[in-house]
Structure formats: C-alpha cells, structure tokens
Amino acid sequence: QVQLVESGGGLVQAGGSLRLSCAASGIIFSINEMGWYRQALGKQRELVGFVTNGGRTNYGDSVKGRFTISRDNAKNTVYLQMNSLKPEDTAVYYCNSVINSLDYWGRGTQVTVSS
C-alpha cells in the first residue's frame, strides 16, 4: 500500500515562512511527478506546484517567486518551502504524486497565515 504523508503545517504570521514535507512509503517502483495542491475553505483545489523526476518545476501563478519545491529522490520525499506568506495562502495543502503509474494524494496539512 503506497501512502503519502505530509508534515510541517501550522500557524504563522503574515510575512513568515513554513516548510512542508511529504514522504512516500510502501512498495514503490517508480515516482514521476511530486507536487502540492491547496484548497482554501469554500474554494476549489488549486495547483501550488510540482517537480518532475528530472527536477523540472512548475508553479501556480499565485505562489511564483515565494514558494520553492524540491525533492529528495533517495528519501522519496518532496518539500515545499513557503516564504513571504500571506493570509490568502491559508488552506489545506495536499501532496500529490504519480507512483507506480498511479495517482496518489496525501490527507492534507493545514496552513494558517494570520494577518
């Protein structure tokens, strides 16, 4: 059973930083994209960004220049470094990855940015 487990969410003041982690576990033969989505209360889930297994990254427009995604292939882990956080970044952040050619989601971690 493949699982994605996020960690690192919490409460932070506007302008602050947080780092999220997402580790994949289970029987893993291949991992393609690893990335992050978020869903604010009453809104649709949106792309934060992803990184391919070749290291290419892509970001949603609202986070470009403030968030950075990286991955450690040896640890099957993807990270999301969030800087210059704004109240509108408040959301549940979900890890997403294509593992063994299947799409997996984590349970999510809450990020709350106070003004």
Side-chain angles (χ1 to χ4, degrees):
Q1 181 82 10
V2 172
Q3 285 187 317
L4 294 173
V5 179
E6 302 103 334
S7 61
L11 174 65
V12 64
Q13 288 189 329
S17 298
L18 276 177
R19 188 191 194 210
L20 306 184
S21 299
C22 172
S25 63
I27 300 175
I28 297 172
F29 299 106
S30 65
I31 302 180
N32 293 332
E33 292 83 10
M34 299 188 82
W36 296 90
Y37 286 74
R38 68 185 183 185
Q39 188 166 18
L41 196 62
K43 295 188 177 181
Q44 289 188 327
R45 191 171 296 190
E46 66 171 354
L47 172 70
V48 175
F50 65 84
V51 55
T52 68
N53 55 6
R56 181 176 62 86
T57 56
N58 190 31
Y59 296 95
D61 289 340
S62 61
V63 306
K64 284 180 181 177
R66 299 188 298 123
F67 291 9
T68 303
I69 291 177
S70 60
R71 65 191 282 174
D72 184 334
N73 291 329
K75 296 181 179 179
N76 293 334
T77 298
V78 62
Y79 304 97
L80 178 64
Q81 178 66 44
M82 304 184 290
N83 298 329
S84 301
L85 283 160
K86 305 175 182 179
E88 50 264 44
D89 294 318
T90 295
V92 178
Y93 283 70
Y94 295 92
C95 180
N96 171 256
S97 184
V98 178
I99 300 173
N100 301 337
S101 299
L102 297 175
D103 197 37
Y104 288 92
W105 291 87
R107 290 191 172 188
T109 185
Q110 177 70 46
V111 171
T112 302
V113 184
S114 63
S115 56

